[in-house]
RNA sequence: GGGUAGGUGGCGGAGCGGCCAAUCGCACCAGACUGUAAAUCUGGCGACCGGAAGGUCUUCGGAGGUUCAAAUCCUCCCCUGCCCA
């Protein structure tokens, strides 16, 4: 197998589409013969500066490109964030200050460092060039598209059919994203399948600007922990790449069984045959394996193993975790009532919520459910408390300073 | 600009003067069960006081008004869909 085919095989793995593959092959060929790395673009909306496993799918692909010697351009869409991606109309986005942007950029770099080789990664902000466009330029961009084309985009047509509003500025989003590709002279752009239209807009505009068109690579959209909707912070079904080992492990254990295969494919390097074999075994063990693989990828094998044993300790054997956070309580009026103490420390959202929890048997003190009424903390005793499924803490008496 | 239908809790969507803190579904939380924080079943799901019974406060686009009483009626305003221009 020659080098081109070898690279192609690596890139093809796990992707949905390469549009068009022939052009991609040509680009690879040229890159190899001229010893000139391809410019691989990946863009992200900085409104929620938290990368999660859903983002990791395309980013892992970027890593493949880096390993093959290509150049990765990680674009933070600070300017386009002002418009908002049309997928889901929310209220006007707050305008980020330069400081906030700078800060966000840094957090991206930190998070991306878990997945990418930062030495080989270029971080860019699209405000750099989009801010300079004048109205004439914008009109030029719009002339490359017709309303019908834009409206054809799935989420637009759906919203239009359902009688949901579409604001005019949203029409501009794909154009701006496409112009990013012009400004960056990208050879390849990677995104999830839902981004296909936006990614293709880059091709249209590059052509309009007399450039060679980028190749579009789409990767699957990862379902979130609910197993239904795509992983997203807004749906609250996401697993951040910065999650602690324990948290990450537990969240993965909570995915529905039928999602395991997908997660193995998109989020681990376990080869195809390995996945088959694991999935043919006991589902609980398969899921533990999955959780271990992913957790270890981000936290190292030792932490992965620890997370696994803690998980079994807490949820299978129903023991307390080996380490419990300590909180102090004082002897003052209502503070001695357990619910008030918890509420005061923001460990439960409200007193009403705490009472509900208590009524449902969701509060345990020293291993026993608190059944009737308020539990009174008696100084100077210490208590091991479990609130709900996940919160363990030790309340220690402390005299008021 | 004209016509018309709407704006209700995280979302979808009932209610259309008192019994509404607001049916129901999804989501979420807890308990039971289990192979897991899966699935399933049960309960809960504005805040505050109370052990409880119960009470108080703030909510149905916004501002006023009518009424003993409004998410429900009236006035003005804001926002959105659709049709026509």
């Amino acid at each position: 197998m020659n080098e081109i085919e070898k690279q192609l095989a690596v890139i093809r793995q796990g992707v949905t589409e390469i549009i068009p593959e022939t052009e991609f092959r040509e680009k690879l060929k040229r890159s190899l013969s001229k010893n000139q790395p391809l410019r691989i673009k990946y863009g992200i909306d900085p409104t929620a500066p938290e990368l999660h496993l859903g983002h990791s799918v395309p980013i892992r692909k970027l890593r493949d490109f880096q390993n093959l010697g290509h150049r990765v351009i990680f674009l933070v869409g600070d300017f386009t964030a002002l418009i908002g991606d049309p997928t889901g109309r929310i209220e006007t986005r707050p305008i980020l200050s330069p400081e906030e942007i700078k800060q966000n950029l840094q957090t991206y770099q930190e998070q991306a460092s878990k997945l990418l080789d930062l030495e080989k990664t270029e971080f860019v902000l699209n405000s750099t060039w989009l801010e300079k466009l004048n109205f004439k330029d914008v009109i030029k961009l719009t002339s490359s598209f017709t309303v019908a084309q834009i409206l054809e985009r799935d989420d637009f047509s759906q919203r239009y059919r359902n009688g949901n509003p579409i604001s005019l500025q949203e029409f501009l989003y794909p154009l701006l994203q496409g112009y990013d590709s012009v400004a960056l002279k990208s050879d390849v752009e990677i995104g999830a399948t839902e981004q296909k239209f936006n990614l293709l807009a880059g091709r249209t505009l590059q052509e309009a600007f007399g450039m060679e068109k980028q190749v579009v690579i789409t990767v699957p959209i990862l379902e979130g922990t609910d197993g239904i909707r795509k992983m997203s912070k807004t749906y609250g079904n996401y697993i951040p790449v910065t999650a602690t080992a324990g948290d990450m492990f537990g969240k993965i254990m909570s995915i529905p069984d039928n999602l395991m295969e997908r997660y193995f494919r998109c989020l681990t390097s376990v080869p195809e045959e390995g996945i088959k074999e694991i999935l043919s075994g006991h589902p609980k063990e398969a899921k533990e394996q999955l959780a271990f693989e992913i957790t270890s990828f981000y936290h190292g094998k030792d932490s992965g193993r620890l997370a696994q044993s803690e998980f079994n300790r807490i949820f299978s054997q129903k023991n307390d975790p080996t380490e419990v956070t300590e909180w102090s309580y004082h002897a003052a009026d209502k503070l001695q009532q357990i619910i008030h103490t918890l509420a005061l420390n923001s460990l439960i959202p409200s007193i009403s919520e705490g009472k509900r929890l208590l009524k449902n048997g969701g509060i345990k003190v020293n291993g026993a459910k608190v059944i009737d009424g308020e539990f009174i903390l008696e100084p100077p005793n210490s208590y091991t408390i479990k609130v709900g499924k996940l919160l363990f803490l030790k309340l220690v008496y402390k005299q008021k300073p």
Side-chain angles (χ1 to χ4, degrees):
Chain A
M1 209 198 287
N2 66 31
E3 183 62 21
I4 297 176
E5 293 307 318
K6 225 188 278 174
Q7 293 209 358
L8 202 53
V10 172
I11 297 307
R12 231 190 245 134
Q13 195 152 39
V15 309
T16 307
E17 271 188 299
I18 299 178
I19 313 170
E21 195 167 314
T22 46
E23 278 180 33
F24 184 52
R25 195 189 296 265
E26 283 307 309
K27 280 183 191 272
L28 277 179
K29 196 166 150 191
R30 199 182 54 225
S31 155
L32 283 166
S33 67
K34 291 192 176 168
N35 198 22
Q36 195 179 58
L38 293 175
R39 295 169 63 77
I40 318 297
K41 172 192 171 198
Y42 172 71
I44 191 167
D45 188 325
T47 36
E50 202 172 14
L51 293 182
H52 53 62
L53 295 186
H55 297 117
S56 82
V57 179
I59 296 177
R60 286 170 64 92
K61 192 43 70 181
L62 292 178
R63 182 66 203 228
D64 286 343
F65 271 106
Q66 283 188 330
N67 291 342
L68 296 171
H70 298 289
R71 179 135 192 98
V72 164
I73 303 164
F74 193 106
L75 180 148
V76 175
D78 63 330
F79 189 88
T80 32
L82 300 180
I83 296 180
D85 194 350
T87 39
R89 197 186 83 108
I90 332 273
E91 68 284 357
T92 336
R93 319 258 166 153
I95 295 170
L96 300 174
S97 68
E99 294 81 57
E100 286 172 309
I101 290 169
K102 206 172 148 199
Q103 206 176 356
N104 282 1
L105 187 62
Q106 203 182 345
T107 62
Y108 277 125
Q109 282 169 336
E110 275 165 30
Q111 296 173 75
S113 71
K114 290 179 177 283
L115 292 144
L116 293 173
D117 180 348
L118 291 191
E119 296 283 303
K120 297 180 189 162
T121 312
E122 201 177 308
F123 284 86
V124 294
L125 296 169
N126 66 0
S127 60
T128 314
W129 52 85
L130 290 180
E131 234 160 36
K132 294 187 185 133
L133 291 182
N134 62 34
F135 206 72
K136 217 154 117 191
D137 298 323
V138 176
I139 290 173
K140 182 182 175 191
L141 293 182
T142 58
S143 68
S144 294
F145 296 87
T146 67
V147 171
Q149 281 166 358
I150 304 264
L151 209 50
E152 208 183 328
R153 204 187 126 148
D154 194 48
D155 36 29
F156 280 142
S157 55
Q158 235 176 63
R159 277 159 63 187
Y160 193 66
R161 242 182 289 124
N162 296 342
N164 293 130
I166 301 171
S167 100
L168 196 52
Q169 61 174 8
E170 294 179 80
F171 271 16
L172 296 180
Y173 192 91
L175 308 197
L176 297 184
Q177 185 171 337
Y179 184 74
D180 288 342
S181 297
V182 173
L184 290 170
K185 300 184 174 61
S186 50
D187 292 302
V188 174
E189 179 164 7
I190 295 182
T193 49
E194 61 178 358
Q195 284 287 315
K196 191 163 158 183
F197 185 90
N198 293 351
L199 300 174
L200 290 171
R203 283 172 63 81
T204 309
L205 288 177
Q206 282 175 322
E207 189 173 39
F209 279 81
M211 299 171 49
E212 185 178 304
K213 293 186 273 186
Q214 66 179 8
V215 165
V216 165
I217 295 182
T218 57
V219 295
I221 298 166
L222 191 73
E223 292 85 351
T225 50
D226 56 2
I228 300 162
R229 294 182 294 185
K230 71 164 183 174
M231 187 177 284
S232 157
K233 192 168 184 182
T234 24
Y235 300 144
N237 61 359
Y238 72 112
I239 305 175
V241 299
T242 51
T244 61
D247 208 31
M248 191 178 269
F249 195 96
K251 286 205 157 99
I252 296 165
M253 289 305 283
S254 82
I255 65 169
D257 287 359
N258 59 22
L259 210 59
M260 288 196 279
E261 189 173 344
R262 170 77 115 183
Y263 271 43
F264 264 116
R265 283 235 172 77
C266 294
L267 301 175
T268 73
S269 314
V270 180
E272 197 54 37
E273 320 82 68
I275 296 177
K276 286 247 153 58
E277 196 188 315
I278 293 169
L279 289 178
S280 66
H282 195 289
K284 161 101 194 297
E285 275 159 34
K287 207 179 277 182
E288 276 190 46
Q289 180 77 29
L290 175 70
F292 171 74
E293 288 289 336
I294 299 173
T295 308
S296 307
F297 179 82
Y298 290 97
H299 295 277
K301 281 203 176 357
D302 287 344
S303 301
R305 261 188 287 274
L306 185 66
Q308 182 167 9
S309 67
E310 281 294 284
F311 182 87
N312 279 314
R313 183 188 162 90
I314 296 169
F315 298 107
S316 298
Q317 290 147 36
K318 309 234 182 271
N319 285 322
D320 291 343
T322 34
E323 277 182 48
V324 181
T325 332
E326 280 195 10
W327 288 82
S328 53
Y329 72 99
H330 314 282
D333 299 337
K334 301 221 155 184
L335 268 180
Q336 280 165 257
Q337 292 187 2
I338 192 165
I339 288 178
H340 288 88
T341 307
L342 293 172
L344 209 80
N345 287 296
S346 306
L347 296 164
I348 48 176
S350 72
I351 291 168
S352 306
E353 181 63 32
K355 284 181 178 166
R356 266 174 236 133
L357 258 174
L358 191 129
K359 210 165 85 190
N360 283 329
I363 293 183
K364 279 187 184 176
V365 174
N366 296 334
K369 270 185 201 171
V370 177
I371 310 163
D372 49 355
E374 271 286 5
F375 187 90
I376 304 290
L377 301 168
E378 287 174 38
N381 295 338
S382 294
Y383 301 89
T384 306
I385 296 177
K386 184 183 179 193
V387 183
K389 288 181 185 172
L390 306 174
L391 184 61
F392 294 89
L393 64 143
K394 193 169 180 185
L395 274 183
V396 183
Y397 174 64
K398 217 180 205 171
Q399 216 135 22
K400 262 233 160 95

